[in-house]
Every structure is written in structure tokens, then in C-alpha cells.
Amino acid sequence: TCHNNKKLQYVGEILEKVMDLAAGKPMKTDRVEVSALLEDVLLCIGRDFEKDSITLIRDCPPGVWIQGDRVMLGQVFLNLMLNARRAMLPKGGTLYFAARSTANGTRIELTDTGCGMSAATLSRIFEPFYGDDQSQPDYDGNGLGLYFCKHILDVHQGSIQVQSEPHRGTTFRILLPGS
């Protein structure tokens, strides 16, 4: 139950932050270690990867920092990892998560070996309410996850880029101010 309580607390914090963001309240920023944030996110979803035959490769050394709202940035990681998981179902695959400090900030990369996306889909993935449900007929999302990810990163003076090919997987590259 400790795991479930922490998960519920985390979900509650995310909801509170989304409501604050929607209301235009100022965001509180802290110095956040990427590897520790990744561990928090994995508390919510880590078991799903194993049971779905997905191997998670972490290339995220301690001491890589970002400046921002821990809960909101965790939501970005959570959403991207859940999307990667869904893209690799039912056959499984590999999810690679890397973080590095650079002269321009902190670079975070998530690469999956899932179904990938067409150029037409790529051109629209950050639009609200857009969902490419043709490749996933049982998908029940609302088309807001990537829209919110981009918005959260914009608020943090960050950026997100995506590269994908059908049947070859997807890579998301995030650049955030370091700390």
C-alpha cells in the first residue's frame, strides 16, 4: 500500500499543478535532479514495462540537473513514457532514456522501438485533441497529452522535437535550462 499511496499522492499533485497552470498561477521552480525525477515517475509505471516485455535502458547519470517545477516536468516524462509503452504494445521492445548536461542546458532523449508515426501524424501531434487512433484502434486517449507536454516545456523555456518513422520507432528530444 505504500507504493499505491505514493502513486495517489503523485497523481493528486499533478492534477493540482495542471489546475494552477490553467488558472495562470505562477509556477514555483526548483533545482531538480533528472535521475531522481525519473525514479519518481517509474514508481507510477515501472512495473508496466516489465509485464509488457519492454526493456528500459537508463543513461541518466547522477548530477544532471534541470530548473523547473518537479511535478510538471515529471508529468512530461510520464506522458512520453506511457506513449512509448503504448506504441510498443503488444510485442514489447526497448525504451531508452538519456539525460546530459550541455553548454545550452540539459538534453533529455526518449527513444522507443515502437510502431512509429507517419509524417502526417508528426505534423499534428502537438495539436490539442489530435490522436492518431488508426494505428491503435483500442486507444482511448483524448489527444491532450503531447499538447500539455509542449505547453509545460514552453512555460519552462524548454523545447521538444520529435523524429519518427513508421515501424522504426520514435525519438523525443527535450532541451531544458540546466541548473
Side-chain angles (χ1 to χ4, degrees):
T1 58
C2 179
H3 174 72
N4 287 338
N5 288 342
K6 185 152 183 144
K7 193 175 192 179
L8 285 173
Q9 178 183 354
Y10 187 72
V11 170
E13 288 173 355
I14 290 169
L15 182 58
E16 182 179 333
K17 295 290 183 171
V18 168
M19 298 301 288
D20 287 349
L21 190 63
K25 291 185 180 177
M27 182 177 56
K28 180 183 167 219
T29 64
D30 293 306
R31 189 170 187 240
V32 180
E33 188 175 31
V34 177
S35 62
L37 182 56
L38 177 60
E39 288 302 317
D40 287 349
V41 170
L42 289 173
L43 277 176
C44 291
I45 59 173
R47 292 181 184 167
D48 290 342
F49 290 119
E50 291 174 19
K51 75 176 177 139
D52 294 327
S53 301
I54 296 171
T55 302
L56 175 63
I57 298 173
R58 297 180 231 188
D59 185 8
C60 185
V64 176
W65 298 86
I66 50 181
Q67 187 70 31
D69 183 291
R70 178 182 196 88
V71 173
M72 295 305 290
L73 292 171
Q75 178 60 33
V76 171
F77 293 177
L78 179 69
N79 188 71
L80 292 176
M81 293 175 89
L82 288 174
N83 284 355
R85 177 182 168 267
R86 188 170 34 258
M88 291 186 276
L89 292 176
K91 66 179 182 173
T94 302
L95 175 60
Y96 175 74
F97 184 102
R100 291 285 181 274
S101 296
T102 71
N104 298 326
T106 300
R107 188 182 70 235
I108 299 163
E109 190 171 292
L110 289 96
T111 300
D112 70 61
T113 59
C115 60
M117 293 178 269
S118 69
T121 297
L122 275 176
S123 70
R124 299 190 61 198
I125 60 168
F126 295 113
E127 292 178 18
F129 306 111
Y130 178 75
D132 180 23
D133 44 22
Q134 295 173 0
S135 64
Q136 304 272 330
D138 60 345
Y139 175 65
D140 61 352
N142 57 22
L144 289 173
L146 291 174
Y147 170 77
F148 277 123
C149 285
K150 181 164 181 359
H151 184 69
I152 290 166
L153 293 168
D154 287 347
V155 168
H156 282 83
Q157 287 89 45
S159 63
I160 185 167
Q161 297 176 332
V162 61
Q163 182 180 357
S164 187
E165 285 184 50
H167 314 293
R168 294 193 175 255
T170 302
T171 298
F172 284 93
R173 289 181 184 90
I174 297 168
L175 184 64
L176 284 162
S179 175

